[in-house]
Amino acid sequence: AKGILVIIRCIEIGHHHAVLTQACLALGALALHPNNKTQIAEVNGINVLIKLLAASQPGITSELKSCQTATDKNHDSRVGESVQEAALVACTNVVNSSESNRQLLAELGGVAPIVACVLFAHSGVPVRNASQAIANIAYRSDYTIAKCMMERADVAICAAIGAADLVCEDRLLEAAFRALANLALDEASQTGLAASDAMVWCVRGLYKCSYVHVLRAAAHATAAIAYRCRSNKARFAQLGALAACVRVVNDFGTGSLEHTELYSSAVHAASLAACTLLSFSPNHLLFEDCRGVETYSVLCRTTEHMELLTVGAMVIASVAPGVRSRCEALTEGRLLYFEQTSGLDALIRCAKWAYSRSEPPCWLKEAVTTLQMSHAQLHKEVQDSKPRLSKGDNELFSRKFLFEEVLAHIHLDHVVTHSQDLGDLGFRVY
């Protein structure tokens, strides 16, 4: 009944690396159950984990230094990277799906030692675990995101991505991009991320990585940083984000059913990123230059996955001409670029197949109706319509799809002993 308290006491007084590592892993495993998260916080478990992480980076902040006892300071050397890895796993699981634990960890100064682990760890596993912890701490919480940004978590994560191998260290990159996505919850944090190198690394990840989980995380980070932020949309387009999204669709969105099913989540995420970037109308010309409409038309025409058909049509609808622009083009005798593609056919296929048993969304009905109007109907619609927000003022999907928190899985160790007493005891229990 007092197992959690015993484990926390072991972490407080333990000297051996193996004991501390296993105690932290046990705490992380217990935190997988929702009821245990509250109990761990009540018996000071979060504060103990913070002190353990701070012990590996003495002097990172004066506040953490002052909260350590003299005994803690004498045992800084007890915390190696294996202990760091395990303690970060425990932190990740303790704050997962628990807003109160997130805020408590931030109030106790737990963000600083985790950021220090990202910056100063010598191997990739502690960096990955620290990035996962930051992602969970920042998950849909304005308060904890503010704390993370104050400790420059975004700069630390960008430095970790820059030091990582974009071809091999896929799990580290996935965790880092997920952390960047979760940090981009509001305009203030989006501005802070734009001031760092986050946007550059997101685009580079979309260009150079081929792992499906890394592409998905990088695309979600791109969409989150650009969501309802026009300056970031324009900057992303200058960096080549639209071309990178089209590259993901070209390489992984078409082909055999097995191939497209494997990469469907990455293609879906890249399409969401393209959709939010295209809600800023000046980006439409860049999308035309990289033949984005043709690429997404092929995707919608050939895919057998309804979620890809829907999101592909959403991208096409984002660049479809409105009533006024189409009316002006017909009046002047111009042929719009969009009408030279098969974009309308893609939208109609989406309406017939993806929404055959439900009402199509407003963005789809409006795009199809506008493209099927005659010149007289368009002229009448322009005369009768009231001023309204342009498509650039609206996003076609909810921001909540871009944020994600994870549980760190615990890998059990086999215990081997040569003790005769323990062998006899095991035989008697058997």
Side-chain angles (χ1 to χ4, degrees), residues 19-260:
V19 173
L20 289 171
T21 300
Q22 295 303 321
C24 290
L25 289 176
L27 197 64
L30 289 170
L32 293 173
H33 195 283
N35 293 339
N36 291 339
K37 301 180 195 292
T38 304
Q39 295 183 35
I40 291 171
E42 288 175 351
V43 295
N44 206 33
I46 293 178
N47 193 32
V48 169
L49 289 172
I50 293 172
K51 288 182 179 180
L52 186 65
L53 289 171
S56 65
Q57 303 290 342
I60 52 174
T61 64
S62 58
E63 179 183 356
L64 287 171
K65 191 77 171 178
S66 63
C67 77
Q68 293 179 348
T69 63
T71 305
D72 291 330
K73 293 177 183 178
N74 292 334
H75 294 303
D76 284 350
S77 60
R78 68 187 180 141
V79 185
E81 290 211 347
S82 63
V83 179
Q84 278 186 6
E85 293 172 20
L88 290 166
V89 165
C91 288
T92 300
N93 290 350
V94 164
V95 301
N96 180 274
S97 302
S98 176
E99 180 63 23
S100 58
N101 282 4
R102 286 190 198 103
Q103 295 196 12
L104 178 60
L105 186 144
E107 288 172 1
L108 293 174
V111 176
I114 294 175
V115 172
C117 288
V118 176
L119 287 171
F120 303 118
H122 297 295
S123 64
V125 178
V127 177
R128 180 201 65 195
N129 290 356
S131 299
Q132 287 179 344
I134 291 172
N136 279 13
I137 293 167
Y139 180 73
R140 299 176 71 173
S141 174
D142 292 315
Y143 175 76
T144 55
I145 287 175
K147 287 286 188 179
C148 289
M149 298 300 287
M150 286 175 60
E151 297 293 344
R152 304 310 304 272
D154 56 326
V155 176
I157 290 170
C158 289
I161 297 174
D165 188 334
L166 292 176
V167 177
C168 301
E169 297 181 281
D170 54 307
R171 293 300 172 184
L172 188 157
L173 292 169
E174 179 192 15
F177 283 126
R178 184 184 292 117
L180 290 178
N182 287 358
L183 286 170
L185 181 62
D186 54 28
E187 188 175 353
S189 57
Q190 287 173 312
T191 303
L193 289 166
S196 66
D197 292 333
M199 300 168 77
V200 174
W201 289 116
C202 287
V203 175
R204 195 167 297 180
L206 288 172
Y207 262 123
K208 295 193 174 182
C209 294
S210 58
Y211 291 99
V212 58
H213 43 278
V214 178
L215 290 171
R216 178 177 178 272
H220 280 169
T222 300
I225 295 172
Y227 197 88
R228 289 186 177 174
C229 183
R230 293 187 173 190
S231 59
N232 286 0
K233 293 178 196 289
R235 175 81 190 287
F236 263 126
Q238 291 174 354
L239 292 171
L242 284 169
C245 293
V246 172
R247 170 252 169 188
V248 172
V249 176
N250 268 326
D251 291 351
F252 308 112
T254 57
S256 67
L257 188 62
E258 293 79 8
H259 176 77
T260 55

Side-chain angles (χ1 to χ4, degrees), residues 370-390:
T370 301
L371 291 169
Q372 290 178 333
M373 283 182 177
S374 65
H375 189 192
Q377 290 173 321
L378 289 168
H379 184 73
K380 185 177 184 303
E381 183 70 18
V382 169
Q383 296 297 322
D384 298 342
S385 63
K386 297 178 181 178
R388 56 182 177 178
L389 291 174
S390 66

Side-chain angles (χ1 to χ4, degrees), residues 249-321:
V249 176
N250 268 326
D251 291 351
F252 308 112
T254 57
S256 67
L257 188 62
E258 293 79 8
H259 176 77
T260 55
E261 186 173 4
L262 176 63
Y263 283 94
S264 61
S265 60
V267 175
H268 186 275
S271 300
L272 289 179
C275 186
T276 191
L277 293 173
L278 292 170
S279 64
F280 184 53
S281 56
N283 289 345
H284 291 188
L285 291 175
L286 293 174
F287 193 63
E288 292 177 8
D289 290 342
C290 58
R291 301 184 63 82
V293 179
E294 290 87 343
T295 298
Y296 275 95
S297 297
V298 171
L299 175 69
C300 292
R301 191 169 62 251
T302 60
T303 186
E304 298 295 329
H305 306 285
M306 291 300 102
E307 69 276 8
L308 295 187
L309 176 58
T310 302
V311 76
M314 191 185 296
V315 173
I316 293 173
S318 299
V319 296

